[in-house]
Structures are given as C-alpha cells and as structure tokens.
Amino acid sequence: MEDEIVTNNPNEKLAVKNIKPKIETCVNSKESINWMLYLIFLKGDYEECLDLISKHCKEGNIETNFAIYLKSLIKRNKGDLNESLELLRKCYSFNENNNDLLEDIGLNLSLLGKFRMAIDIFDEILSRKPEDFNSYYQKGICYTNLNEYDMALSCLMKANSIRSEEKM
C-alpha cells in the first residue's frame, strides 16, 4: 500500500511505501526510544507510552530518568498527584540542579494543597534564578489559596514586572 506525501509544490505528489514504520523497528537506541516516547506522550496516548516505558525498562535499553519523568507527567495528567510527586522527586535525586524538575515538584505540591511546601520550593528556585516569572506567579497563586492576599499581590506584581521586562 502506498501513501501520498504532498511536497511544497501543491501539484506534485510523491508516493512512498510504508511511511509509517512500526515503533519496534524505529527504536534501536536510547535517544530514539526517548524521542518516540516523547512523541507518543505529546500525542496524548498515555497508555501506549506507559506500556513502552515498561517494556523498554525491562529490556534495559531506555534512559531511566526521562522515562520516570514522562511517567510522572502522565500520572499528574491522570490525577494521581502523589505518585507523580514521588516520581518527580526520584528524577530530582538524579539531578539536583534541575530547576525545571524543582518547578514541577512545586506545582504538584500546590495541586495537592500543600501551599507552604510549594512556596518553599519556589523560593529555592528564586534563590538560584532570581528573575523567574513562573516561580513568582506560582508563589502568588499559593499565597492566594492561603488567603494571604498582600503576599499574593506582591508576588504577582513581581511576576508581572518580570514578564513586562521580557517583552521589551
């Protein structure tokens, strides 16, 4: 069976056999497995992504930290915030300099209603990266949920000023 691919010229079409190879034939290195997992994740096919993670972890040919991270995002998207948080903490233990992982941990804590702990996480990020828009914004949301409106306003105004400066 042939599939059609339209080139830049709308009048020209190319016929290509088997342009959709099976996943198993594409993944022969850790990088390609991780890339395939990421594409499946972006597509929103979480069950297929989890199945491939399980399969390739058993075979030992997968980047463990990336697989754990994707699993944590899937768990968060499915509402399993506690398991997601534990997976994120495991990822963070591999690389304690990763502010993005730290931010994900703070977000999970916030979603779990652990606003003080989340604020501590965002403060840690701000100690490393003082002009981080997302950390000020998330702190503002946490303070709002704690009914500490003066602190919330201060954080949100700081986030707004950072965003305004970025646009200039």
Side-chain angles (χ1 to χ4, degrees), residues 61-140:
N61 60 349
I62 194 169
E63 179 64 40
T64 307
N65 198 29
F66 183 72
I68 293 168
Y69 179 69
L70 277 184
K71 235 174 142 173
S72 75
L73 295 180
I74 291 169
K75 294 294 183 181
R76 180 167 61 200
N77 286 342
K78 289 184 163 202
D80 191 350
L81 298 173
N82 286 314
E83 188 171 349
S84 174
L85 180 61
E86 289 310 310
L87 291 167
L88 286 168
R89 285 178 171 156
K90 188 174 183 179
C91 284
Y92 186 69
S93 72
F94 295 133
N95 183 1
E96 294 184 354
N97 295 319
N98 190 325
N99 289 336
D100 293 333
L101 281 174
L102 203 53
E103 185 176 325
D104 280 330
I105 291 170
L107 180 59
N108 270 36
L109 288 168
S110 179
L111 291 170
L112 284 165
K114 299 178 180 183
F115 302 115
R116 295 272 177 224
M117 291 174 71
I119 289 168
D120 290 342
I121 296 292
F122 296 123
D123 282 339
E124 173 65 25
I125 295 168
L126 290 168
S127 73
R128 300 174 184 186
K129 191 175 167 187
E131 297 296 310
D132 186 63
F133 164 81
N134 286 329
S135 293
Y136 278 110
Y137 176 78
Q138 291 299 332
K139 273 181 65 173

Side-chain angles (χ1 to χ4, degrees), residues 145-159:
N145 284 299
L146 292 169
N147 298 323
E148 295 182 24
Y149 300 114
D150 290 340
M151 292 297 292
L153 182 60
S154 174
C155 289
L156 293 172
M157 287 177 65
K158 179 65 176 174

